[in-house]
Amino acid sequence: MSRWPDLSALEVLVAVVDHGSLSAAARALRIAQPNASRSVTRLEHSLGLPLLRRSTTGSAPTPEGLLVVEWARTLLGSADDLLSNARTLSHRGAGTIAVSASQTISEHLLPGWLAAFRALSPEVRVTLWVTNTAAVLEDLLVGGCDLGFIEGPIPRGAAHLATVGQDELVLVVSPGHPWARGHRAVGPEDLHDGVLVTRESGSGTRRVLDDALGRPVTPQLELGSNAAVRVAVLSGAGPAVLSRLAVAEAIAGGSLVEIPIDGVRLRRRLCAAWTGPQALGGPAGALVRIATEHRGSRVQPGKGWQD
């Protein structure tokens, strides 16, 4: 039998303190609660200490457990450093990184990040899948990619996150639409069912819109890409809510008209997302660092990166 403590059990114990209960810790670590409880019990036997006080109302750390948690934080941090550094060594001079990214990020931000990444690591091959936020999270959870880029809102505890930017959604119409006369603001009640052209359910754009309006939207037309929605609006199909990144050039050129929405704030975080150790190393870590360094930057049509 190994004389070393079980790192996974220590991670559960730390999560109990950080999240307030054994059940919350199990959810945060995405493991079954009975498995989490058994791992802590085995740890108690191996250390010869009571670590959790169990009752009908739940489990809480004992004084001994709180001490072990503080020692465990250092140990787990060192283990994360070991994994991160080993991962970096294994990718030095060669390697691949599989990236799954939502459409707005893929079309308007990721090309700049990848250009900077290639300048630093030309030997690393990047494969990219462009999809929506829900599918990116699914890819991460099933191990289909090493790194995801998603648009909020993001489910709590779904993955480790690093904010790489902020985005604003805007309501746009064609110049011939009645709302374009005078560019007057509309109210949330004007965006009733059957009015909007929207992205598909599961996209970050659609989630932000539904949350801002306080209800799921029933669109008159649902399309699977920003480009398709933009073309539909240009053709007079109806109003749409899209990322400013996707429509800035059309607004500046006068082919689309931006319409304010009274009392509705349509902002979202853009995030890198990954699973596994929180300290991300190797090519994926390098790409996240590049994206994070560009945080707060914006792309202007035809001008590339602007700080």
Side-chain angles (χ1 to χ4, degrees):
M1 180 179 295
S2 171
R3 62 190 181 93
W4 302 111
D6 183 346
L7 293 183
S8 297
L10 289 173
E11 188 178 30
V12 172
L13 185 64
V14 170
V16 170
V17 173
D18 289 345
H19 296 279
S21 69
L22 184 61
S23 59
R27 286 194 299 271
L29 296 173
R30 293 190 292 277
I31 59 177
Q33 182 174 338
N35 293 340
S37 180
R38 282 192 291 270
S39 70
V40 175
T41 298
R42 287 193 295 268
L43 182 63
E44 289 175 319
H45 290 161
S46 68
L47 296 179
L49 294 171
L51 301 175
L52 290 182
R53 183 181 294 110
R54 296 166 175 82
S55 70
T56 56
T57 58
S59 299
T62 63
E64 296 89 344
L66 289 173
L67 283 173
V68 172
V69 163
E70 293 312 306
W71 301 329
R73 291 189 193 278
T74 301
L75 181 58
L76 292 172
S78 297
D80 278 342
D81 288 343
L82 184 152
L83 291 174
S84 176
N85 292 333
R87 197 176 296 114
T88 299
L89 285 175
S90 71
H91 287 93
R92 182 175 292 173
T96 63
I97 174 175
V99 178
S100 184
S102 58
Q103 287 194 19
T104 300
I105 294 175
S106 298
E107 293 170 359
H108 302 284
L109 299 176
L110 195 54
W113 302 340
L114 291 177
F117 176 79
R118 183 168 179 78
L120 292 175
S121 305
E123 73 285 352
V124 178
R125 183 169 62 90
V126 179
T127 58
L128 173 64
W129 292 274
V130 180
T131 181
N132 62 35
T133 291
V136 171
L137 290 172
E138 179 64 23
D139 285 345
L140 283 171
L141 294 177
V142 301
C145 64
D146 303 307
L147 178 64
F149 288 101
I150 55 181
E151 305 148 13
I154 295 106
R156 173 178 286 184
H160 303 303
L161 300 175
T163 300
V164 297
Q166 304 288 333
D167 189 26
E168 179 186 18
L169 303 183
V170 294
L171 175 66
V172 291
V173 297
S174 65
H177 192 278
W179 291 354
R181 299 181 192 129
H183 297 198
R184 70 174 182 84
V186 300
E189 67 278 1
D190 294 312
L191 306 180
H192 54 77
D193 290 347
V195 167
L196 291 172
V197 180
T198 73
R199 284 285 307 280
E200 77 284 3
S201 180
S203 70
T205 300
R206 182 72 170 272
R207 288 185 177 188
V208 171
L209 177 61
D210 288 349
D211 284 357
L213 296 180
R215 60 179 176 80
V217 172
T218 301
Q220 64 150 311
L221 185 60
E222 184 178 272
L223 299 169
S225 71
N226 290 336
V229 173
R230 188 170 58 245
V231 169
V233 178
L234 288 167
S235 302
V241 172
L242 285 171
S243 166
R244 185 175 293 280
L245 291 169
V247 296
E249 188 170 356
I251 291 172
S255 57
L256 287 178
V257 177
E258 179 181 349
I259 306 297
I261 309 173
D262 281 335
V264 175
R265 188 174 179 84
L266 294 169
R267 295 188 182 275
R268 60 183 176 180
R269 278 197 304 159
L270 306 179
C271 293
W274 66 96
T275 56
Q278 188 164 4
L280 186 64
L287 181 54
V288 171
R289 284 191 294 273
I290 289 170
T292 303
E293 287 167 3
H294 282 107
R295 181 178 175 180
S297 301
R298 60 191 177 92
V299 176
Q300 294 182 351
K303 295 187 178 181
W305 285 105
Q306 301 290 325
D307 294 325

